[in-house]
Amino acid sequence: MKSWFVRLMIASTGAVAGHAALAALPPPPKPIGIKPAPAPAPAAPLSAIAQYLNIDINAPARYASVTLPAYYDAQLLRSDNTPPNNRITDKGATLGRVLFWDKRLSVNDTVACATCHQPANGFSATTQFSKGYSGVSGTAHAMGLANIAFYRDGRMFWDRRAASVEAQATQPIQNTIEMGYDASNGGINALLVKMQGLPYYPELFKAVYGDAAITEQRIQLALAQFERSMISANSRWDQGYAKTYNAGLADKGLSLDVPGLTAQENTGRRLFMGGPNNGGIGCAGCHQPPTFALSPNSLSNGLDAGETRVFKSPSLKSLSPGQPMMHDGRFTTFEQVVSFYNLGVKNGPALDNRLKTQRGDPRVPNLSRTDQAALVAFLKTLDDPTLRIDTRFGNPFKQ
């Protein structure tokens, strides 16, 4: 009995001791509270500009401050027809670029300014007459836009009916054939209402003008800035003349042979630059280098007998072979144009005196075939391929 009792007591004492030992252990650590990760903040909504356009209006391409050759000197820059209230700005020209390419500015969203004035074609068209929003063709060829800033007279269209680039800018939009916002379709006010509903325009106009108001005048100002920034100054002739330009010479070096041009091309250059009594045929008297924009006092070129109208012409820079030329696009090659001035000028009341003899008859240069070919070769040196591919003038819309 005693041994059994003793064993029971020992067991009981061990159990108590075991419980005491457990009681002496430190309590288990409290579970660490893990806070759930905060939900990510919703992404800022894309601006309408970013949704529709490949531009950054807050960091636009450079239009206002571009480097021009030295021969774009103070005298030449005085021929710039930019008005004091519409100097080119980077943001303003960027808005003009969007307007220029936007087909929504036509009644049925099918035609933009760029539809007819394509950069790849010298901001002109390869067809004689362009089709408007309804498929009907116009009656005048789409004029090239390169160097329009340097037509001192400032008037636009072939018939010079618009007083300025600004006044010209919205006339195609309101034309019955071209873009269709004539009176029967609500006029310019209908377009302004439409533009207010296009989400990128209020943002663009606010960025440029400080508020989102869309007006015809603001459209005109922006389009004119964009168009005047289309300067052609990197043709083969430009690259060569940059080396012979001399501000100290009376003609600033225009009569000197141009390096980089072939012998034939320099022969054509001499014919173009020289006056009728100085080894040339006087082309430069009207088409004035280095911009080759038309002299503001030029009259009719005698395309048709008895002509009373006076047409302006675009700069001869960036014309491409195969592109229709003259107001009605009747010529499609430089050879045809040279042949016309050589033998085909017709008399009329408006014929320019520079195309007349002292007796008042049309001048007939009677160039040889060799000289005609040389003149054609020179005209081709005025093409500026960099202007055709300059991304500042390309389509800004996301495809």
Side-chain angles (χ1 to χ4, degrees):
M1 285 293 292
K2 183 177 179 180
S3 61
W4 173 84
F5 178 76
V6 171
R7 288 196 299 273
L8 178 61
M9 290 302 292
I10 291 171
S12 298
T13 303
V16 172
H19 284 296
L22 288 172
L25 292 173
K30 295 180 179 180
I32 299 173
I34 300 176
K35 295 181 180 180
L46 282 175
S47 71
I49 294 175
Q51 291 180 51
Y52 289 90
L53 300 161
N54 291 312
I55 63 169
D56 183 350
I57 193 62
N58 296 312
R62 291 176 57 189
Y63 296 92
S65 56
V66 294
T67 302
L68 294 172
Y71 49 82
Y72 277 73
D73 55 19
Q75 180 181 358
L76 174 60
L77 293 178
R78 284 196 290 272
S79 68
D80 186 345
N81 57 44
T82 301
N85 70 333
N86 197 30
R87 300 299 180 192
I88 294 174
T89 66
D90 293 341
K91 288 185 178 181
T94 298
L95 171 58
R97 176 185 171 195
V98 175
L99 293 164
F100 190 86
W101 281 90
D102 198 347
K103 293 181 179 181
R104 296 173 182 87
L105 269 61
S106 64
V107 165
N108 59 357
D109 301 347
T110 59
V111 174
C113 303
T115 303
C116 303
H117 300 277
Q118 281 285 329
N121 302 322
F123 296 97
S124 183
T126 56
T127 55
Q128 182 177 15
F129 302 122
S130 300
K131 292 182 179 180
Y133 77 97
S134 66
V136 176
S137 295
T139 57
H141 178 61
M143 181 183 289
L145 301 179
N147 290 347
I148 64 168
F150 298 104
Y151 176 55
R152 279 201 308 275
D153 179 275
R155 288 179 287 177
M156 293 293 125
F157 292 112
W158 291 101
D159 59 6
R160 306 187 297 179
R161 66 182 181 273
S164 65
V165 183
E166 285 79 5
Q168 175 274 333
T170 53
Q171 288 195 32
I173 295 172
Q174 299 172 79
N175 185 276
T176 299
I177 292 175
E178 294 181 51
M179 297 172 77
Y181 273 105
D182 58 8
S184 68
N185 285 315
I188 196 70
N189 288 331
L191 173 64
L192 300 180
V193 171
K194 179 180 181 180
M195 291 174 67
Q196 287 285 1
L198 296 172
Y200 47 91
Y201 277 125
E203 289 184 15
L204 285 168
F205 276 76
K206 184 174 182 179
V208 174
Y209 298 110
D211 61 68
I214 300 173
T215 67
E216 180 179 11
Q217 183 185 35
R218 287 180 169 184
I219 294 171
Q220 292 172 330
L221 294 173
L223 277 169
Q225 286 188 35
F226 179 65
E227 292 174 13
R228 286 197 182 96
S229 65
M230 299 170 183
I231 297 175
S232 173
N234 197 34
S235 67
R236 287 180 53 225
W237 177 84
D238 286 290
Q239 294 168 12
Y241 179 54
K243 299 174 183 177
T244 57
Y245 165 71
N246 187 336
L249 298 177
D251 69 350
K252 300 187 179 182
L254 286 170
S255 60
L256 301 176
D257 276 356
V258 172
L261 268 58
T262 66
Q264 183 190 45
E265 290 164 348
N266 265 311
T267 295
R269 181 200 55 75
R270 289 190 291 272
L271 290 167
F272 188 98
M273 301 293 182
N277 299 318
N278 193 28
I281 58 173
C283 307
C286 292
H287 303 281
Q288 298 181 318
T291 65
F292 294 86
L294 190 69
S295 168
N297 63 0
S298 296
L299 298 177
S300 167
N301 65 346
L303 274 176
D304 298 304
E307 184 64 74
T308 58
R309 296 174 298 174
V310 175
F311 294 106
K312 66 163 288 189
S313 79
S315 166
L316 301 186
K317 299 293 289 297
S318 292
L319 295 178
S320 58
Q323 175 183 317
M325 288 168 272
M326 305 297 170
H327 68 279
D328 55 7
R330 68 178 67 182
F331 301 137
T332 57
T333 68
F334 291 130
E335 286 81 1
Q336 290 172 333
V337 172
V338 170
S339 176
F340 160 73
Y341 281 108
N342 189 40
L343 296 173
V345 173
K346 299 176 177 62
N347 213 345
L351 184 64
D352 192 287
N353 285 333
R354 283 160 286 201
L355 295 174
K356 293 180 181 180
T357 65
Q358 290 183 343
R359 294 181 301 178
D361 300 319
R363 272 199 304 113
V364 180
N366 201 24
L367 296 175
S368 67
R369 290 185 178 181
T370 299
D371 281 346
Q372 290 183 63
L375 193 52
V376 168
F378 169 69
L379 290 172
K380 292 178 180 179
T381 71
L382 302 181
D383 185 32
D384 181 354
T386 59
L387 185 63
R388 299 176 188 277
I389 61 174
D390 192 328
T391 56
R392 295 178 305 148
F393 303 112
N395 187 353
F397 283 90
K398 293 184 175 179
Q399 301 301 313

